[in-house]
Amino acid sequence: MNRPVQPPASAYFITPEKEANEARTLAIIVDNEPGVLARVIGLFSGRGYNIESLTVSETEHEKHLSRITVVTRGAPHVIEQLKSQLDRIVPVHRVVDLTRAAGEDGETAPIERELAIVKVAGKGEGRVEALRLADVFRAKVIDSSIEHFVFEITGRPSKIDKFVAIMEPLGLVEVCRTGVAALSRGKAGM
């Protein structure tokens, strides 16, 4: 007896397309007081989102305001929910998605910079090549001995990634990065 072939169970349901995760840079102005950073970051961990980069510093001493810059990756609708929840935290004054704000008024992507300190050990030809490549990347030598260099490099995170990758076969020892500092382009501020 021939039994009819059943379609797979998924054929009966319309499965929503998953939104691709996007890298987003958020700038958050907060009161400079104890516990604020923990509350802000708690929203990300509570939703299971990783923070790829985090910088925090007081920006307006007289008003006791700090700026938190967070780079994260997630689905656009979840990032919008995070922004909305961040806006409701009492010590938060303003939340701006610098990645999204760039496209709204015709401006280009935000200005993002990072600082890294990179230690490279090497002798002979590897040492000469490390110095030559550092010059190409505009990295400054801030410490050296006959067996190592410590370079300081600033630029877009992708530039630093490339510099670190190219130094790896030449004797990369250690890397320390500050995290992304970002501003939107144009005359308007936050």
Side-chain angles (χ1 to χ4, degrees), residues 118-131 141 143-151 166-174:
V118 180
K119 185 184 292 185
V120 178
K123 294 183 179 180
E125 282 301 310
R127 185 175 171 82
V128 171
E129 184 66 6
L131 276 172
V141 176
D143 186 46
S144 67
S145 73
I146 58 171
E147 296 181 346
H148 83 281
F149 288 107
V150 177
F151 298 106
I166 211 162
M167 287 295 156
E168 199 161 332
L170 298 174
L172 181 68
V173 175
E174 191 174 5

Side-chain angles (χ1 to χ4, degrees), residues 24-99:
R24 296 299 241 334
T25 303
L26 303 177
I28 308 160
I29 302 296
V30 298
D31 287 337
N32 186 14
E33 59 186 43
V36 173
L37 179 61
R39 290 175 66 192
V40 167
I41 301 315
L43 282 175
F44 288 85
S45 64
R47 289 192 147 285
Y49 276 86
N50 186 40
I51 294 173
E52 295 180 3
S53 174
L54 172 69
T55 57
V56 184
S57 182
E58 186 174 60
T59 55
E60 295 186 50
H61 185 68
E62 300 80 30
K63 295 180 182 178
H64 302 288
L65 295 178
S66 290
R67 181 183 180 118
I68 301 172
T69 305
V70 178
V71 178
T72 191
R73 185 172 295 277
H77 76 279
V78 176
I79 301 294
E80 291 304 316
Q81 289 173 350
L82 278 170
K83 282 177 45 187
S84 177
Q85 291 173 348
L86 285 167
D87 268 331
R88 287 186 283 229
I89 296 176
V90 171
V92 172
H93 293 272
R94 183 127 194 253
V95 180
V96 174
D97 183 347
L98 295 175
T99 314

